[in-house]
mmCIF file of all heavy atoms in Angstrom:
data_model
loop_
_atom_site.group_PDB
_atom_site.id
_atom_site.type_symbol
_atom_site.label_atom_id
_atom_site.label_comp_id
_atom_site.label_asym_id
_atom_site.label_seq_id
_atom_site.Cartn_x
_atom_site.Cartn_y
_atom_site.Cartn_z
ATOM 1 N N SER A 469 6.665 5.929 0.566
ATOM 2 C CA SER A 469 6.993 4.479 0.821
ATOM 3 C C SER A 469 7.426 3.848 -0.534
ATOM 4 O O SER A 469 8.106 2.734 -0.514
ATOM 5 C CB SER A 469 5.793 3.689 1.314
ATOM 6 O OG SER A 469 4.673 3.739 0.391
ATOM 7 N N GLU A 470 7.124 4.391 -1.795
ATOM 8 C CA GLU A 470 7.431 3.799 -2.957
ATOM 9 C C GLU A 470 8.486 4.535 -3.632
ATOM 10 O O GLU A 470 8.440 5.737 -3.901
ATOM 11 C CB GLU A 470 6.201 3.821 -3.832
ATOM 12 C CG GLU A 470 5.066 3.039 -3.412
ATOM 13 C CD GLU A 470 5.270 1.512 -3.439
ATOM 14 O OE1 GLU A 470 6.046 1.088 -4.313
ATOM 15 O OE2 GLU A 470 4.752 0.789 -2.573
ATOM 16 N N ARG A 471 9.506 3.822 -3.971
ATOM 17 C CA ARG A 471 10.791 4.389 -4.608
ATOM 18 C C ARG A 471 10.336 5.010 -5.996
ATOM 19 O O ARG A 471 10.965 5.925 -6.496
ATOM 20 C CB ARG A 471 11.862 3.402 -4.859
ATOM 21 C CG ARG A 471 13.203 4.003 -5.469
ATOM 22 C CD ARG A 471 14.312 3.060 -5.343
ATOM 23 N NE ARG A 471 15.504 3.696 -5.781
ATOM 24 C CZ ARG A 471 16.270 4.653 -5.125
ATOM 25 N NH1 ARG A 471 15.894 4.990 -3.882
ATOM 26 N NH2 ARG A 471 17.341 5.081 -5.744
ATOM 27 N N ALA A 472 9.311 4.406 -6.667
ATOM 28 C CA ALA A 472 8.877 4.858 -7.940
ATOM 29 C C ALA A 472 8.482 6.305 -7.911
ATOM 30 O O ALA A 472 8.537 6.971 -8.863
ATOM 31 C CB ALA A 472 7.662 3.953 -8.448
ATOM 32 N N PHE A 473 8.159 6.904 -6.692
ATOM 33 C CA PHE A 473 7.649 8.184 -6.610
ATOM 34 C C PHE A 473 8.843 9.178 -6.985
ATOM 35 O O PHE A 473 8.634 10.385 -7.211
ATOM 36 C CB PHE A 473 7.121 8.512 -5.228
ATOM 37 C CG PHE A 473 5.760 7.994 -5.029
ATOM 38 C CD1 PHE A 473 5.237 7.762 -3.754
ATOM 39 C CD2 PHE A 473 4.893 7.623 -6.122
ATOM 40 C CE1 PHE A 473 3.938 7.275 -3.576
ATOM 41 C CE2 PHE A 473 3.625 7.167 -5.901
ATOM 42 C CZ PHE A 473 3.163 6.978 -4.616
ATOM 43 N N SER A 474 10.038 8.661 -7.057
ATOM 44 C CA SER A 474 11.171 9.582 -7.408
ATOM 45 C C SER A 474 10.979 10.077 -8.861
ATOM 46 O O SER A 474 11.558 11.080 -9.218
ATOM 47 C CB SER A 474 12.490 8.857 -7.147
ATOM 48 O OG SER A 474 12.504 7.655 -8.114
ATOM 49 N N SER A 475 10.134 9.311 -9.613
ATOM 50 C CA SER A 475 9.814 9.794 -11.012
ATOM 51 C C SER A 475 8.525 10.559 -11.176
ATOM 52 O O SER A 475 8.042 10.717 -12.178
ATOM 53 C CB SER A 475 9.914 8.590 -11.961
ATOM 54 O OG SER A 475 8.930 7.625 -11.575
ATOM 55 N N TYR A 476 7.863 10.892 -10.094
ATOM 56 C CA TYR A 476 6.565 11.486 -10.011
ATOM 57 C C TYR A 476 6.687 12.995 -9.558
ATOM 58 O O TYR A 476 7.576 13.238 -8.817
ATOM 59 C CB TYR A 476 5.573 10.734 -9.106
ATOM 60 C CG TYR A 476 4.892 9.496 -9.745
ATOM 61 C CD1 TYR A 476 5.757 8.524 -10.429
ATOM 62 C CD2 TYR A 476 3.544 9.431 -9.791
ATOM 63 C CE1 TYR A 476 5.234 7.370 -10.911
ATOM 64 C CE2 TYR A 476 2.940 8.198 -10.288
ATOM 65 C CZ TYR A 476 3.747 7.246 -10.818
ATOM 66 O OH TYR A 476 3.196 6.161 -11.428
ATOM 67 N N ALA A 477 5.761 13.739 -9.932
ATOM 68 C CA ALA A 477 5.566 15.141 -9.381
ATOM 69 C C ALA A 477 5.032 15.000 -8.005
ATOM 70 O O ALA A 477 4.271 14.039 -7.615
ATOM 71 C CB ALA A 477 4.665 15.898 -10.270
ATOM 72 N N MET A 478 5.477 15.842 -7.006
ATOM 73 C CA MET A 478 5.056 15.809 -5.711
ATOM 74 C C MET A 478 4.507 17.246 -5.324
ATOM 75 O O MET A 478 5.113 18.294 -5.827
ATOM 76 C CB MET A 478 6.107 15.361 -4.756
ATOM 77 C CG MET A 478 6.491 13.935 -5.090
ATOM 78 S SD MET A 478 7.627 13.294 -3.790
ATOM 79 C CE MET A 478 6.564 12.855 -2.456
ATOM 80 N N GLY A 479 3.761 17.416 -4.264
ATOM 81 C CA GLY A 479 3.281 18.648 -3.966
ATOM 82 C C GLY A 479 2.767 18.692 -2.510
ATOM 83 O O GLY A 479 2.605 17.725 -1.769
ATOM 84 N N TRP A 480 2.436 19.944 -2.129
ATOM 85 C CA TRP A 480 1.864 20.165 -0.776
ATOM 86 C C TRP A 480 0.546 20.967 -0.857
ATOM 87 O O TRP A 480 0.446 21.815 -1.765
ATOM 88 C CB TRP A 480 2.776 21.092 0.068
ATOM 89 C CG TRP A 480 3.999 20.373 0.535
ATOM 90 C CD1 TRP A 480 5.227 20.465 -0.074
ATOM 91 C CD2 TRP A 480 4.204 19.498 1.590
ATOM 92 N NE1 TRP A 480 6.194 19.641 0.541
ATOM 93 C CE2 TRP A 480 5.544 19.074 1.702
ATOM 94 C CE3 TRP A 480 3.430 19.060 2.649
ATOM 95 C CZ2 TRP A 480 5.996 18.173 2.641
ATOM 96 C CZ3 TRP A 480 3.895 18.198 3.630
ATOM 97 C CH2 TRP A 480 5.173 17.864 3.704
ATOM 98 N N PHE A 481 -0.465 20.586 0.044
ATOM 99 C CA PHE A 481 -1.639 21.132 0.088
ATOM 100 C C PHE A 481 -1.870 21.589 1.466
ATOM 101 O O PHE A 481 -1.317 21.085 2.372
ATOM 102 C CB PHE A 481 -2.830 20.322 -0.426
ATOM 103 C CG PHE A 481 -2.770 20.096 -1.905
ATOM 104 C CD1 PHE A 481 -1.862 19.180 -2.342
ATOM 105 C CD2 PHE A 481 -3.543 20.786 -2.801
ATOM 106 C CE1 PHE A 481 -1.782 18.905 -3.784
ATOM 107 C CE2 PHE A 481 -3.527 20.534 -4.110
ATOM 108 C CZ PHE A 481 -2.659 19.650 -4.653
ATOM 109 N N ARG A 482 -2.830 22.473 1.825
ATOM 110 C CA ARG A 482 -3.275 22.745 3.208
ATOM 111 C C ARG A 482 -4.692 23.112 3.304
ATOM 112 O O ARG A 482 -5.328 23.394 2.421
ATOM 113 C CB ARG A 482 -2.405 24.010 3.786
ATOM 114 C CG ARG A 482 -2.775 25.350 2.987
ATOM 115 C CD ARG A 482 -1.892 26.389 3.501
ATOM 116 N NE ARG A 482 -2.203 27.671 2.948
ATOM 117 C CZ ARG A 482 -1.494 28.767 3.160
ATOM 118 N NH1 ARG A 482 -0.356 28.720 3.888
ATOM 119 N NH2 ARG A 482 -1.783 29.888 2.627
ATOM 120 N N GLN A 483 -5.190 22.781 4.513
ATOM 121 C CA GLN A 483 -6.686 23.042 4.774
ATOM 122 C C GLN A 483 -6.806 23.629 6.177
ATOM 123 O O GLN A 483 -6.357 22.950 7.185
ATOM 124 C CB GLN A 483 -7.440 21.738 4.671
ATOM 125 C CG GLN A 483 -8.864 22.041 4.757
ATOM 126 C CD GLN A 483 -9.738 20.807 4.326
ATOM 127 O OE1 GLN A 483 -9.328 19.576 4.495
ATOM 128 N NE2 GLN A 483 -11.023 21.048 4.148
ATOM 129 N N ALA A 484 -7.358 24.888 6.158
ATOM 130 C CA ALA A 484 -7.523 25.455 7.453
ATOM 131 C C ALA A 484 -8.919 25.163 8.011
ATOM 132 O O ALA A 484 -9.773 24.837 7.104
ATOM 133 C CB ALA A 484 -7.305 27.005 7.212
ATOM 134 N N PRO A 485 -9.219 25.445 9.171
ATOM 135 C CA PRO A 485 -10.521 25.041 9.760
ATOM 136 C C PRO A 485 -11.540 25.889 9.076
ATOM 137 O O PRO A 485 -11.482 27.060 8.958
ATOM 138 C CB PRO A 485 -10.350 25.470 11.241
ATOM 139 C CG PRO A 485 -8.963 25.306 11.578
ATOM 140 C CD PRO A 485 -8.245 25.785 10.277
ATOM 141 N N GLY A 486 -12.594 25.187 8.647
ATOM 142 C CA GLY A 486 -13.725 25.818 7.967
ATOM 143 C C GLY A 486 -13.542 26.317 6.547
ATOM 144 O O GLY A 486 -14.367 26.921 5.943
ATOM 145 N N LYS A 487 -12.358 25.970 6.088
ATOM 146 C CA LYS A 487 -12.005 26.265 4.592
ATOM 147 C C LYS A 487 -11.766 25.110 3.781
ATOM 148 O O LYS A 487 -11.448 24.070 4.274
ATOM 149 C CB LYS A 487 -10.749 27.232 4.646
ATOM 150 C CG LYS A 487 -11.029 28.595 5.363
ATOM 151 C CD LYS A 487 -9.838 29.494 5.147
ATOM 152 C CE LYS A 487 -10.112 30.847 5.774
ATOM 153 N NZ LYS A 487 -8.937 31.772 5.691
ATOM 154 N N GLU A 488 -11.735 25.399 2.511
ATOM 155 C CA GLU A 488 -11.454 24.278 1.536
ATOM 156 C C GLU A 488 -10.001 24.075 1.443
ATOM 157 O O GLU A 488 -9.191 24.941 1.756
ATOM 158 C CB GLU A 488 -12.062 24.596 0.193
ATOM 159 C CG GLU A 488 -13.595 24.660 0.107
ATOM 160 C CD GLU A 488 -14.050 24.768 -1.359
ATOM 161 O OE1 GLU A 488 -13.219 25.050 -2.248
ATOM 162 O OE2 GLU A 488 -15.249 24.802 -1.532
ATOM 163 N N ARG A 489 -9.666 22.838 1.082
ATOM 164 C CA ARG A 489 -8.179 22.503 0.932
ATOM 165 C C ARG A 489 -7.670 23.358 -0.228
ATOM 166 O O ARG A 489 -8.439 23.538 -1.373
ATOM 167 C CB ARG A 489 -8.042 21.033 0.596
ATOM 168 C CG ARG A 489 -6.631 20.627 0.432
ATOM 169 C CD ARG A 489 -6.474 19.086 0.482
ATOM 170 N NE ARG A 489 -7.395 18.447 -0.469
ATOM 171 C CZ ARG A 489 -7.764 17.200 -0.374
ATOM 172 N NH1 ARG A 489 -7.396 16.443 0.627
ATOM 173 N NH2 ARG A 489 -8.587 16.654 -1.277
ATOM 174 N N GLU A 490 -6.509 23.888 -0.194
ATOM 175 C CA GLU A 490 -5.835 24.725 -1.182
ATOM 176 C C GLU A 490 -4.490 24.207 -1.492
ATOM 177 O O GLU A 490 -3.845 23.725 -0.693
ATOM 178 C CB GLU A 490 -5.848 26.223 -0.821
ATOM 179 C CG GLU A 490 -4.898 26.431 0.357
ATOM 180 C CD GLU A 490 -4.889 27.966 0.727
ATOM 181 O OE1 GLU A 490 -5.332 28.798 -0.123
ATOM 182 O OE2 GLU A 490 -4.159 28.312 1.746
ATOM 183 N N PHE A 491 -4.121 24.359 -2.715
ATOM 184 C CA PHE A 491 -2.782 24.082 -3.323
ATOM 185 C C PHE A 491 -1.787 25.081 -2.720
ATOM 186 O O PHE A 491 -2.018 26.269 -2.486
ATOM 187 C CB PHE A 491 -2.805 24.261 -4.849
ATOM 188 C CG PHE A 491 -1.408 24.256 -5.409
ATOM 189 C CD1 PHE A 491 -0.836 23.140 -5.707
ATOM 190 C CD2 PHE A 491 -0.827 25.510 -5.775
ATOM 191 C CE1 PHE A 491 0.486 23.007 -6.207
ATOM 192 C CE2 PHE A 491 0.542 25.335 -6.327
ATOM 193 C CZ PHE A 491 1.035 24.247 -6.653
ATOM 194 N N VAL A 492 -0.625 24.581 -2.349
ATOM 195 C CA VAL A 492 0.440 25.319 -1.782
ATOM 196 C C VAL A 492 1.720 25.496 -2.721
ATOM 197 O O VAL A 492 2.107 26.509 -3.048
ATOM 198 C CB VAL A 492 0.822 24.827 -0.377
ATOM 199 C CG1 VAL A 492 2.075 25.593 0.151
ATOM 200 C CG2 VAL A 492 -0.281 24.868 0.648
ATOM 201 N N ALA A 493 2.234 24.187 -2.999
ATOM 202 C CA ALA A 493 3.390 24.133 -3.854
ATOM 203 C C ALA A 493 3.411 22.814 -4.530
ATOM 204 O O ALA A 493 2.950 21.754 -3.946
ATOM 205 C CB ALA A 493 4.712 24.479 -3.077
ATOM 206 N N ALA A 494 4.248 22.798 -5.683
ATOM 207 C CA ALA A 494 4.434 21.401 -6.327
ATOM 208 C C ALA A 494 5.698 21.526 -7.011
ATOM 209 O O ALA A 494 6.282 22.577 -7.451
ATOM 210 C CB ALA A 494 3.332 21.122 -7.330
ATOM 211 N N THR A 495 6.339 20.236 -7.164
ATOM 212 C CA THR A 495 7.625 20.227 -7.891
ATOM 213 C C THR A 495 7.588 19.017 -8.883
ATOM 214 O O THR A 495 6.972 18.009 -8.590
ATOM 215 C CB THR A 495 8.827 20.070 -6.890
ATOM 216 O OG1 THR A 495 10.023 19.953 -7.671
ATOM 217 C CG2 THR A 495 8.689 18.838 -5.999
ATOM 218 N N SER A 496 8.272 19.178 -9.929
ATOM 219 C CA SER A 496 8.432 18.067 -10.896
ATOM 220 C C SER A 496 9.368 17.012 -10.356
ATOM 221 O O SER A 496 9.905 17.121 -9.327
ATOM 222 C CB SER A 496 8.991 18.518 -12.242
ATOM 223 O OG SER A 496 10.189 19.150 -12.073
ATOM 224 N N TRP A 497 9.379 15.846 -11.086
ATOM 225 C CA TRP A 497 10.187 14.701 -10.579
ATOM 226 C C TRP A 497 11.725 15.089 -10.289
ATOM 227 O O TRP A 497 12.355 14.610 -9.400
ATOM 228 C CB TRP A 497 10.129 13.553 -11.469
ATOM 229 C CG TRP A 497 10.839 13.657 -12.685
ATOM 230 C CD1 TRP A 497 10.323 14.198 -13.896
ATOM 231 C CD2 TRP A 497 12.171 13.302 -12.931
ATOM 232 N NE1 TRP A 497 11.259 14.281 -14.819
ATOM 233 C CE2 TRP A 497 12.389 13.678 -14.330
ATOM 234 C CE3 TRP A 497 13.212 12.781 -12.270
ATOM 235 C CZ2 TRP A 497 13.611 13.447 -14.933
ATOM 236 C CZ3 TRP A 497 14.504 12.543 -12.788
ATOM 237 C CH2 TRP A 497 14.640 12.968 -14.193
ATOM 238 N N SER A 498 12.123 15.938 -11.140
ATOM 239 C CA SER A 498 13.534 16.334 -11.078
ATOM 240 C C SER A 498 13.848 17.470 -10.061
ATOM 241 O O SER A 498 14.979 17.825 -9.877
ATOM 242 C CB SER A 498 14.089 16.788 -12.384
ATOM 243 O OG SER A 498 13.496 17.858 -12.933
ATOM 244 N N GLY A 499 12.674 18.283 -9.842
ATOM 245 C CA GLY A 499 12.899 19.378 -9.029
ATOM 246 C C GLY A 499 13.089 20.701 -9.920
ATOM 247 O O GLY A 499 13.195 21.714 -9.423
ATOM 248 N N GLY A 500 13.166 20.430 -11.237
ATOM 249 C CA GLY A 500 13.508 21.543 -12.163
ATOM 250 C C GLY A 500 12.265 22.396 -12.409
ATOM 251 O O GLY A 500 12.531 23.634 -12.811
ATOM 252 N N ILE A 501 11.048 22.076 -12.068
ATOM 253 C CA ILE A 501 9.968 22.872 -12.263
ATOM 254 C C ILE A 501 9.166 22.881 -10.929
ATOM 255 O O ILE A 501 8.926 22.007 -10.275
ATOM 256 C CB ILE A 501 8.989 22.207 -13.341
ATOM 257 C CG1 ILE A 501 9.658 22.145 -14.776
ATOM 258 C CG2 ILE A 501 7.682 23.122 -13.467
ATOM 259 C CD1 ILE A 501 8.861 21.519 -15.722
ATOM 260 N N THR A 502 8.888 24.167 -10.553
ATOM 261 C CA THR A 502 8.125 24.351 -9.341
ATOM 262 C C THR A 502 6.986 25.344 -9.506
ATOM 263 O O THR A 502 7.112 26.284 -10.314
ATOM 264 C CB THR A 502 8.921 24.873 -8.126
ATOM 265 O OG1 THR A 502 9.676 26.134 -8.610
ATOM 266 C CG2 THR A 502 10.103 23.848 -7.848
ATOM 267 N N TYR A 503 5.885 25.157 -8.753
ATOM 268 C CA TYR A 503 4.799 26.058 -8.816
ATOM 269 C C TYR A 503 4.463 26.364 -7.341
ATOM 270 O O TYR A 503 4.579 25.591 -6.459
ATOM 271 C CB TYR A 503 3.532 25.379 -9.397
ATOM 272 C CG TYR A 503 3.528 25.090 -10.863
ATOM 273 C CD1 TYR A 503 3.059 23.896 -11.365
ATOM 274 C CD2 TYR A 503 4.006 26.043 -11.792
ATOM 275 C CE1 TYR A 503 3.098 23.666 -12.756
ATOM 276 C CE2 TYR A 503 4.036 25.782 -13.087
ATOM 277 C CZ TYR A 503 3.561 24.621 -13.686
ATOM 278 O OH TYR A 503 3.588 24.373 -14.962
ATOM 279 N N TYR A 504 4.013 27.669 -7.138
ATOM 280 C CA TYR A 504 3.618 27.986 -5.809
ATOM 281 C C TYR A 504 2.345 28.864 -5.778
ATOM 282 O O TYR A 504 2.031 29.607 -6.769
ATOM 283 C CB TYR A 504 4.807 29.016 -5.282
ATOM 284 C CG TYR A 504 6.097 28.343 -4.922
ATOM 285 C CD1 TYR A 504 7.136 28.393 -5.778
ATOM 286 C CD2 TYR A 504 6.246 27.672 -3.711
ATOM 287 C CE1 TYR A 504 8.330 27.715 -5.570
ATOM 288 C CE2 TYR A 504 7.531 27.073 -3.452
ATOM 289 C CZ TYR A 504 8.555 27.122 -4.418
ATOM 290 O OH TYR A 504 9.728 26.659 -4.101
#
Side-chain angles (χ1 to χ4, degrees):
S469 63
E470 297 289 330
R471 185 167 181 80
F473 284 158
S474 63
S475 61
Y476 279 52
M478 301 183 75
W480 291 97
F481 292 78
R482 67 186 182 185
Q483 187 167 20
K487 295 186 177 181
E488 293 187 354
R489 183 166 52 200
E490 64 174 352
F491 169 81
V492 175
T495 178
S496 61
W497 71 270
S498 67
I501 299 173
T502 56
Y503 291 137
Y504 294 94

